[in-house]
Amino acid sequence: MGSDHEVNDAPANSRRRFLGKSAALGLAGAGVLAGCKENGAGAPGSASASAAAAGKSHGASKAHVEPGQLDDYYLFSSGGHSGEARIMGVPSGRTLRRIPVFNIDPMVGWGITNESKAIIGTKADGSLKYTTGDTHHVHGSYKNGTYDGRFLWVNDKIHSRLARIRMDTMECDKITELPNVMGFHGTFPDKCDPVDKSINHTTRVFCGAEFAIPFPNDGRDLDDPSKWGSLFTCVDAETMDVRWQVRVDGNMDLVATSYDGRFACSNQYNTENAPDQAGMMAAERDACVFFDVARIEALVKAGKFTTIGSSKVPVVDGRKAANPDPKTSVTCYVPVGKNPHGVNASPDGKYMVCSGKLSPTATVIEVALVAKWFDGELKTERDAVVAEPEIGLGPLHTAFDGKGNAFTTLFLDSQIVKWNVAAAIAQFKGDKSVKVVLDRVDVHYQPGHGYASMGETREADGKYFNSGNKFSKDRFLPVGPLHSETEQLIDITGDKMVIISDHTAYPEPHDAIIMRRDIVKTRQIYNMDDFPNKVTADNAGITRNGNKVHVRLMSQAPAFSMPVIKVKKGDEVTITLTNHDKVEDLTHGCAIPTYNINFIVNPQETKSVTFKADHAGAFWMYCTHFCHALHLEMRSRFLVEA
Ligand code: RUQ
Ligand code: CUA
Ligand code: CA
């Protein structure tokens, strides 16, 4: 180990210095770098060495899941610009599944099968409308303030789409493109209905847009960004239709919802509404904007909205000028630290914590006081702030242990800081004796997201915190210029945080949630009747309608139902394949060389592909997924006559 380490030490060090510099350049002008340590961990090399030692002496056994044993938690994460979502086991860090969403995945056939294309969306010629995505935030559906295991939602920042994943099969079943927004970043489901309290589960999903654009974005106002704006969007959790939008002053970033269902909120780093970076950092404070959901929906019902361009979605005006009276206002802009990133609800439902990345503080907003502001009983929006502790440099995301403590990622300090919310509030009131910051731990390196086990629910259990680090540098074997990311699991059960494992993550997970395993109830075999186009012995075979050929095929290990499939050059061929195997884990693949066909069918599942047989020849349609001792023999002749 020691000699391995030395071999890689020199390049790792120079890379670290380079990163230190680029981080400094990136935030120059912000004036926050005084005291910024390169890695927050002292001498290069010693950081990883001591962490490894720490891992060995305290933590290794806690993260170790014996062969054949199962993890206690599922971790659902985004995959960044890979466009997918992912599932890991906690505490082992085992990768369990990648869920293609906005990307194309030939293993599954996502973006290749007709069914997945219909979900992703196609152009008039049948090709995919988009083939890229940028997922950031995964959140689960709620019931009674905790996860109900029905759905996950994940955003696409590139094309402003919201996707839903059904948790019984862990597959994306719907994607909705939001109209008139760009840079859709934060998303969060509601936890109960703001009006009808008997609806105590998720019925809406909120979406914050980061970038301002012209309304509509059709070439107008290109030289006048002062006319551009951002919309907050509400999507129906069941139908996935867009319900309404709200125009705001400034932009939005991440989103959180209150436990009582009354509010959704979003941190705003560009309250300046500036089109350039210097302008976005001009104001001393930015804001967290709160939306009164019931009031917005009352205005929509009363017809008090506009629409933009060809979109029919009602747009309510949430700008300050249109909302002079708090008692009727749909929005409340609470001033927080400069250029915040992240807003998170405490599990007791009382607070929202917003961190200013250009301010070393976290701002604690009391939800009940925001409600008072909306009732006209608070002098200023700022009066809803009950604490603003100094916690370290570059604070981003905050998670909670359910015992009154908060854990915030410090990007510049490369640390996780543990602080006590009640102590911060007491200190804000003037009590100088309290200790707010309880512990710090160095992470490796530059954490973005941090999240705790069940931490975004009323059942926050204070067991694990995962630090999603943006740089791994010397933590893993070097694999060329593109490094893996480091996910570090931290045991937060004691007074001191202990890093218990490092695992790699392919770039680039952002946010994630850690869900207790008993909540997740998957099916292991599909129900064949759920597929209206299923192929059975009754309809299997080839049918022709002009030059449209439909091949209805079945798979059962180790064979496809037709050994020979013959079509003519120029035919439009649809292959529908139903997997008749009922054995758990018995998946077949279907690939046709030179025709770019590649997908799988799981037990009792049906999928279809449509393509033009545009070149003649003999092509072996073969099974790609190892299924049987005769897997290699599982192939049929796909013959295209000239
Ligand atoms: S945002 S750290 Cu989507 Cu925090 Cu990535
Ligand atoms: Cu079927 Cu391999
Ligand atoms: Ca700002």
Side-chain angles (χ1 to χ4, degrees):
M1 171 71 208
S3 62
D4 281 350
H5 194 81
E6 275 157 37
V7 170
N8 296 321
D9 217 17
N13 281 344
S14 54
R15 177 173 157 82
R16 187 182 296 114
R17 275 191 294 274
F18 167 74
L19 282 166
K21 251 183 232 149
S22 61
L25 284 175
L27 288 165
V32 297
L33 285 169
C36 171
K37 295 171 254 172
E38 279 196 351
N39 291 311
S46 70
S48 60
S50 63
K56 260 179 208 149
S57 55
H58 311 291
S61 60
K62 280 214 170 180
H64 184 67
V65 177
E66 288 287 320
Q69 297 301 303
L70 303 180
D71 279 297
D72 292 330
Y73 297 88
Y74 287 87
L75 187 156
F76 299 102
S77 100
S78 60
H81 40 306
S82 73
E84 63 188 16
R86 298 169 186 171
I87 313 176
M88 269 179 10
V90 166
S92 74
R94 293 170 180 165
T95 295
L96 302 177
R97 178 111 181 237
R98 296 164 73 151
I99 306 172
V101 181
F102 302 109
N103 55 327
I104 293 174
D105 185 338
M107 196 288 281
V108 171
W110 192 253
I112 295 164
T113 63
N114 295 328
E115 293 75 20
S116 59
K117 279 181 168 174
I119 292 168
I120 300 169
T122 52
K123 295 193 270 201
D125 69 356
S127 63
L128 289 174
K129 185 172 180 197
Y130 303 113
T131 57
T132 61
D134 182 19
T135 59
H136 283 241
H137 300 275
V138 180
H139 290 290
S141 50
Y142 284 82
K143 186 168 187 176
N144 292 328
T146 189
Y147 299 126
D148 65 3
R150 285 189 75 207
F151 294 120
L152 300 167
W153 284 276
V154 62
N155 74 305
D156 166 28
K157 183 167 165 177
I158 302 179
H159 308 299
S160 292
R161 291 175 293 171
L162 179 71
R164 185 174 73 184
I165 293 164
R166 45 185 285 188
M167 290 180 69
D168 61 342
T169 58
M170 298 296 177
E171 288 167 318
C172 173
D173 75 337
K174 278 197 190 278
I175 292 179
T176 298
E177 186 171 349
L178 313 182
N180 296 305
V181 303
M182 193 175 289
F184 157 37
H185 189 182
T187 190
F188 217 102
D190 69 0
K191 299 183 182 102
C192 67
D193 193 273
V195 185
D196 182 352
K197 299 285 179 207
S198 71
I199 303 175
N200 58 358
H201 62 267
T202 294
T203 55
R204 305 166 180 80
V205 184
F206 301 106
C207 313
E210 207 181 317
F211 309 152
I213 50 169
F215 292 133
N217 195 12
D218 58 1
R220 74 187 66 197
D221 301 330
L222 295 187
D223 299 317
D224 189 0
S226 72
K227 291 197 173 138
W228 303 4
S230 308
L231 304 176
F232 185 73
T233 304
C234 173
V235 174
D236 190 290
E238 213 58 50
T239 64
M240 289 291 282
D241 292 332
V242 177
R243 282 200 192 179
W244 45 259
Q245 297 181 299
V246 177
R247 174 134 187 213
V248 301
D249 285 318
N251 74 337
M252 285 153 295
D253 188 21
L254 303 196
V255 175
T257 57
S258 66
Y259 279 85
D260 63 3
R262 180 163 179 188
F263 302 118
C265 59
S266 181
N267 65 292
Q268 303 188 285
Y269 63 79
N270 188 15
T271 50
E272 299 90 341
N273 240 343
D276 54 56
Q277 203 178 65
M280 293 181 202
M281 300 191 296
E284 259 326 295
R285 285 194 178 285
D286 283 289
C288 181
V289 55
F290 283 76
F291 298 89
D292 189 311
V293 177
R295 284 188 190 175
I296 293 164
E297 295 187 353
L299 288 183
V300 171
K301 218 172 174 186
K304 291 186 178 147
F305 60 80
T306 54
T307 56
I308 298 173
S310 59
S311 165
K312 299 263 181 309
V313 174
V315 178
V316 169
D317 196 341
R319 288 174 292 181
K320 289 174 197 162
N323 293 273
D325 180 3
K327 284 194 193 143
T328 55
S329 183
V330 295
T331 48
C332 171
Y333 297 80
V334 178
V336 303
K338 188 171 179 149
N339 285 46
H341 180 59
V343 55
N344 296 91
S346 63
D348 58 10
K350 287 190 187 158
Y351 308 108
M352 293 289 177
V353 174
C354 220
S355 295
K357 56 184 187 283
L358 296 187
S359 157
T361 55
T363 303
V364 182
I365 300 166
E366 188 172 331
V367 177
L369 292 176
V370 175
K372 270 198 168 172
W373 182 89
F374 276 105
D375 294 341
E377 288 167 26
L378 215 62
K379 266 207 215 98
T380 70
E381 293 88 341
R382 181 69 188 166
D383 292 334
V385 171
V386 293
E388 201 155 69
E390 279 210 22
I391 53 173
L393 297 182
L396 300 180
H397 297 273
T398 297
F400 302 90
D401 63 1
K403 297 172 203 151
N405 301 310
F407 300 77
T408 304
T409 54
L410 300 175
F411 183 80
L412 295 179
D413 276 343
S414 261
Q415 285 182 332
I416 306 304
V417 55
K418 173 181 179 180
W419 52 283
N420 184 273
V421 179
I425 294 170
Q427 184 192 56
F428 196 72
K429 283 195 185 125
D431 185 344
K432 298 264 180 299
S433 69
V434 288
K435 200 170 169 220
V436 176
V437 170
L438 304 178
D439 191 24
R440 290 175 191 281
V441 66
D442 292 332
V443 292
H444 314 87
Y445 305 89
Q446 264 81 32
H449 279 275
Y451 34 88
S453 45
M454 297 298 287
E456 299 199 83
T457 73
R458 284 205 188 281
E459 297 184 308
D461 61 17
K463 291 229 167 81
Y464 298 107
F465 175 95
N466 189 86
S467 176
N469 305 325
K470 295 302 183 191
F471 300 94
S472 63
K473 301 189 242 187
D474 52 8
R475 296 300 282 189
F476 306 117
L477 288 175
V479 286
L482 175 65
H483 286 245
S484 161
E485 317 278 20
T486 357
E487 301 287 316
Q488 288 187 302
L489 195 66
I490 300 175
D491 176 356
I492 55 169
T493 53
D495 290 341
K496 287 248 154 232
M497 294 177 277
V498 182
I499 294 179
I500 55 173
S501 70
D502 278 15
H503 23 87
T504 58
Y506 188 62
E508 132 160 333
H510 287 250
D511 207 1
I513 56 175
I514 303 177
M515 194 181 289
R516 256 189 2 249
R517 76 181 199 197
D518 61 279
I519 294 168
V520 181
K521 299 210 162 43
T522 61
R523 57 164 79 181
Q524 303 313 118
I525 293 175
Y526 289 89
N527 179 354
M528 196 184 283
D529 295 329
D530 286 350
F531 302 92
N533 58 341
K534 67 170 187 255
V535 179
T536 61
D538 296 338
N539 65 354
I542 291 200
T543 54
R544 174 178 285 277
N545 184 358
N547 68 344
K548 289 197 162 117
V549 176
H550 199 151
V551 181
R552 290 188 178 84
L553 199 63
M554 299 178 285
S555 63
Q556 191 148 32
F560 294 112
S561 54
M562 295 168 73
V564 181
I565 298 161
K566 202 184 237 181
V567 302
K568 293 192 181 74
K569 185 177 161 186
D571 284 345
E572 183 196 285
V573 179
T574 296
I575 295 177
T576 303
L577 173 59
T578 297
N579 183 359
H580 278 251
D581 275 305
K582 286 190 182 128
V583 180
E584 185 171 337
D585 210 0
L586 217 168
T587 296
H588 297 286
C590 176
I592 306 180
T594 76
Y595 272 104
N596 215 25
I597 298 299
N598 190 6
F599 64 99
I600 54 165
V601 275
N602 294 298
Q604 303 283 294
E605 186 181 30
T606 299
K607 281 180 183 165
S608 67
V609 288
T610 300
F611 59 97
K612 194 150 177 113
D614 57 6
H615 49 284
F619 309 94
W620 284 101
M621 185 183 87
Y622 72 98
C623 177
T624 49
H625 208 96
F626 210 105
C627 56
H628 192 273
L630 292 174
H631 157 74
L632 294 177
E633 288 83 348
M634 183 168 173
R635 50 194 168 108
S636 297
R637 281 158 282 163
F638 180 69
L639 308 176
V640 182
E641 290 177 326

